[in-house]
Amino acid sequence: MNSNPLIPKELKHYFTLGLSIDCVVFGFDGEKLKVLLIERGDSPFKGYWALPGDLLAPEKDLNSSVNDVLNNLTGLNDLFFEQVETFGEVDRHPFGRVLTTSYYTLVKISDYELNPASFACEAKWFNMEDISELAFDHNKILNTCFDKLQTSIRIKPIGFELLPPKFTLTELQLLYEAILDVKLDTRNFRKKILSMEFLINTGDLQANVSHRPAKLFEFDEMRYNSIKEKGFSFEI
Amino acid sequence: MNSNPLIPKELKHYFTLGLSIDCVVFGFDGEKLKVLLIERGDSPFKGYWALPGDLLAPEKDLNSSVNDVLNNLTGLNDLFFEQVETFGEVDRHPFGRVLTTSYYTLVKISDYELNPASFACEAKWFNMEDISELAFDHNKILNTCFDKLQTSIRIKPIGFELLPPKFTLTELQLLYEAILDVKLDTRNFRKKILSMEFLINTGDLQANVSHRPAKLFEFDEMRYNSIKEKGFSFEI
DNA sequence: TGGCTTATTGTTTATTAAACAATAAGCTGT
DNA sequence: ACAGCTTATTGTTTAATAAACAATAAGCCA
C-alpha cells in the first residue's frame, strides 16, 4: 500500500503530501468565453462552485492524469491540456497539505455534453464575468490560467480547436475578440491572419443565412503545427 | 507529526507523495551563460551532477521554500525565482513517488561565492554546452527551463540583475547574445534598447581600459518595473 | 604622432501596423 | 423584379518598426 518502499526512515515525514490537479476548461460558444465549473457535493467546500479537480493517485503520472480527473467529474474527454502553475501555500486546503497543479484547455462548447459525476453534483459553463467566490484558492488559479491563455494566443495560433472544421473568418475573429476581450479591425485582422498562410479557402459557402454567405475556411494542419511549435507574434 | 490531521481514512493513500524543488540557476560571467550544478554526496545518484534541489517540508509554502533549498546546498541567497513546470512521472525518483517543481533564476556569477553544504559535496558553474548526463530527469528539467528563459527574455526586460549597477551597452548586448545564443547588430541593438527608455546615461565613463572608454548606463527602476509587468516584444 | 582597440552613430530600404468606408452578395417580403 | 436588410469582403494611405550596412571617434600605448 505504501507507494514509496525505499524511503529512508528519516525522510518519511516528507512523504505525507497530497497533490491535486485542477482543470481550467475554457469554452467558446461562438460569442463569449466561458469556463466550466462543478458544484462540489462533498466536503470540503460542499455546495461551492469549483474548478474540476481531484487528488493525484500515487501510482499515476501527473500530466497524463489530467484527462482522467476531468472525465470523472464532467464526462469531458481527450483534451489537450497545458500545464500552468503549481500552487502550494501550506493552508490552501482545509484537510491538510495539498498542493495543486493547474492546467488549462480550450474547447468548443457545442462539441461536448456535460455529465457531472463523482463528487460533482452539477457541471455548468459560466461566463467569465459571472464568476464569484469559488472553493479553495480557485479564483486565483482561474485568473492565473486566464492570463496565460491571453498571453498564449498572441504567441501561438491556438483557437482552431474551438471552431467547426470549416469556419468563416468572422467566426475566427469573434473567437479572438472573446479571448482577448477587445474589438479588432476586420480588415486588418483578415490581412494578418491570411498572411500567415495556414488557412485554406475551401471554396464552400455558408448555407442557410439570410445575408451574403461567407466563405468557409479550414486550416492547413501541417503548416499550423509547424507554426505552433516555432511560435509567432500575433500582435493584433 | 502527521501534517494532515483531517484526512478521511479512505483518502490516506493519496497523502504519500513527496515533492521536491529543483533550482536552475543561470549565471552570467560577462561572456557565457552558465548553470550552477552540485555534485550529490548522498544516494540516490551519489556522485552525479545535479540541479540543486531538495524535498519540500510539509510545513512550508512551496514558492517561499525555493531560496531555502538553494541556500542550504550552495550558499546562494535571496534570489528571485520564476516557477516553470512540475514534473511528475511515476518513476522519476528511484526511492518512490517524488514529483518536482522547477524554478529558474539569473545571477551575475561574480556576485556570489559558492559554499556547497548538506548533501552537495561540490558546487560548480558549468557552461551550457559542457553538461552531460545529470541525476534524475534533470537534463529534461534544465532544457525546459532554458527554453523558458529564452522565451522570457524576448517578452520581458530581464537581464539587468546580471550586470553591475553601472554597465556599458556592450555588456548588455553580450548578455543578450549569451542568452539567445546569437550575434546581434550593434547599431540596431542600441537603437532598440535605448528607445525603450529604461536606460539612464550616468555621464560616467569606463575607467582603466586601453581603448575608447564606453559610457556607463544604469537603469530606470520605476520604468523598468512597469515594463516588466506589462511585457513587451523584444524581437531582435 | 601613428597605430591599436573598442565605442559610437545615421541613412536607406523593406516590412509591418494602423486607420479608415465603400461595395458586394444573398435573402426577404412585396 | 426589386427595394431594403444584413453581413461579407476588399484596398489605400500613412505611420511605425525592422533590417542591412561602415565610417568616424576616443582613449591608450609605444
Side-chain angles (χ1 to χ4, degrees):
Chain A
M1 196 62 184
N2 190 325
S3 57
N4 293 308
L6 303 172
I7 306 165
K9 264 211 190 63
E10 69 275 16
L11 294 181
K12 288 275 186 210
H13 172 56
Y14 291 87
F15 287 79
T16 56
L17 305 177
L19 183 91
S20 64
I21 288 173
D22 281 313
C23 308
V24 178
V25 184
F26 293 107
F28 186 59
D29 63 359
E31 191 181 346
K32 301 194 93 166
L33 190 69
K34 309 200 175 210
V35 188
L36 179 60
L37 299 178
I38 60 166
E39 189 185 339
R40 293 180 57 92
D42 276 2
S43 155
F45 290 99
K46 183 170 176 170
Y48 278 69
W49 289 95
L51 297 172
D54 203 355
L55 290 167
L56 173 69
E59 62 278 5
K60 290 179 65 181
D61 286 343
L62 178 65
N63 286 341
S64 52
S65 297
V66 187
N67 268 301
D68 299 341
V69 166
L70 183 67
N71 184 247
N72 248 359
L73 293 167
T74 67
L76 299 207
N77 218 321
D78 246 343
L79 300 175
F80 177 80
F81 282 95
E82 177 136 336
Q83 189 185 307
V84 177
E85 189 176 329
T86 298
F87 296 83
E89 309 278 305
V90 165
D91 58 2
R92 59 171 297 285
H93 194 296
F95 278 3
R97 191 65 202 276
V98 183
L99 303 97
T100 193
T101 302
S102 58
Y103 293 80
Y104 84 85
T105 188
L106 276 164
V107 304
K108 186 184 162 199
I109 290 178
S110 60
D111 281 350
Y112 297 91
E113 196 186 336
L114 302 180
N115 289 118
S118 179
F119 61 80
C121 52
E122 211 15 316
K124 220 165 91 179
W125 293 104
F126 284 76
N127 288 334
M128 285 295 288
E129 57 263 40
D130 297 340
I131 289 167
S132 56
E133 200 199 342
L134 302 178
F136 305 100
D137 49 0
H138 285 188
N139 291 93
K140 183 176 167 188
I141 295 175
L142 175 56
N143 286 336
T144 303
C145 288
F146 184 55
D147 286 350
K148 173 100 173 198
L149 169 65
Q150 289 194 325
T151 305
S152 295
I153 202 178
R154 294 170 176 279
I155 300 178
K156 301 177 200 171
I158 47 179
F160 295 106
E161 297 84 349
L162 301 182
L163 294 169
K166 296 182 180 186
F167 51 86
T168 71
L169 294 181
T170 301
E171 288 172 321
L172 185 58
Q173 183 176 347
L174 286 173
L175 172 62
Y176 271 84
E177 291 182 338
I179 293 178
L180 296 175
D181 196 24
V182 291
K183 207 85 194 66
L184 301 175
D185 178 274
T186 303
R187 277 170 289 187
N188 292 337
F189 176 81
R190 291 160 97 101
K191 257 179 292 181
K192 176 109 187 190
I193 206 89
L194 288 173
S195 76
M196 294 182 183
E197 296 184 302
F198 48 68
L199 295 186
I200 299 172
N201 184 343
T202 63
D204 298 345
L205 294 179
Q206 227 177 0
N208 302 321
V209 287
S210 75
H211 56 77
R212 175 174 178 177
K215 294 177 188 161
L216 292 171
F217 288 80
E218 59 189 0
F219 63 93
D220 182 332
E221 202 158 338
M222 297 273 285
R223 187 152 161 74
Y224 170 71
N225 285 329
S226 86
I227 291 177
K228 200 160 180 173
E229 271 178 34
K230 282 203 301 273
F232 72 137
S233 175
F234 196 81
E235 285 305 330
I236 205 160
Chain B
M1 197 61 186
N2 189 324
S3 58
N4 294 307
L6 302 172
I7 305 165
K9 264 212 192 64
E10 70 275 15
L11 295 181
K12 289 277 186 209
H13 172 57
Y14 291 87
F15 287 79
T16 56
L17 305 178
L19 183 90
S20 65
I21 289 173
D22 282 313
C23 308
V24 177
V25 184
F26 292 108
F28 186 59
D29 63 0
E31 192 182 344
K32 299 196 94 168
L33 190 69
K34 307 197 176 215
V35 188
L36 179 60
L37 299 178
I38 61 167
E39 187 185 339
R40 294 180 55 92
D42 276 2
S43 155
F45 290 98
K46 184 169 173 170
Y48 277 70
W49 289 95
L51 297 172
D54 202 356
L55 290 167
L56 172 70
E59 61 278 5
K60 292 179 63 181
D61 287 343
L62 178 63
N63 286 341
S64 53
S65 297
V66 187
N67 268 300
D68 299 341
V69 166
L70 183 67
N71 184 247
N72 249 357
L73 293 167
T74 67
L76 299 207
N77 218 321
D78 245 344
L79 301 175
F80 177 80
F81 282 95
E82 177 136 334
Q83 188 184 307
V84 177
E85 190 176 328
T86 297
F87 296 82
E89 309 277 305
V90 165
D91 57 3
R92 60 171 297 286
H93 195 297
F95 278 5
R97 191 66 202 275
V98 183
L99 303 97
T100 193
T101 302
S102 57
Y103 293 80
Y104 84 85
T105 188
L106 274 166
V107 305
K108 187 187 162 199
I109 290 178
S110 60
D111 282 351
Y112 297 91
E113 196 186 335
L114 302 180
N115 288 119
S118 180
F119 60 81
C121 52
E122 221 356 329
K124 220 166 89 180
W125 293 104
F126 283 76
N127 287 333
M128 286 295 288
E129 55 265 41
D130 297 340
I131 288 166
S132 56
E133 200 199 340
L134 303 178
F136 304 101
D137 49 0
H138 285 189
N139 291 93
K140 182 176 169 188
I141 295 175
L142 174 57
N143 286 336
T144 303
C145 288
F146 184 55
D147 286 350
K148 175 100 173 199
L149 169 64
Q150 289 195 324
T151 305
S152 295
I153 202 178
R154 294 170 176 279
I155 300 178
K156 302 179 199 170
I158 46 177
F160 296 105
E161 296 86 348
L162 301 182
L163 294 169
K166 296 182 180 186
F167 50 86
T168 70
L169 294 182
T170 301
E171 289 172 321
L172 185 58
Q173 183 177 345
L174 285 172
L175 172 61
Y176 271 84
E177 291 182 339
I179 294 178
L180 295 176
D181 197 25
V182 290
K183 208 83 195 68
L184 301 175
D185 178 275
T186 304
R187 278 169 290 189
N188 292 337
F189 176 79
R190 287 168 173 244
K191 259 177 292 181
K192 176 108 188 193
I193 206 90
L194 287 173
S195 75
M196 293 181 182
E197 295 184 305
F198 48 68
L199 294 187
I200 300 173
N201 184 343
T202 64
D204 298 344
L205 294 179
Q206 227 178 1
N208 302 321
V209 288
S210 76
H211 54 78
R212 175 174 179 176
K215 295 178 188 163
L216 291 170
F217 288 80
E218 59 190 2
F219 64 93
D220 183 334
E221 201 159 338
M222 296 271 287
R223 186 151 160 74
Y224 170 71
N225 285 330
S226 85
I227 290 177
K228 200 161 178 172
E229 271 178 36
K230 283 203 300 272
F232 72 138
S233 175
F234 197 81
E235 286 305 333
I236 205 160

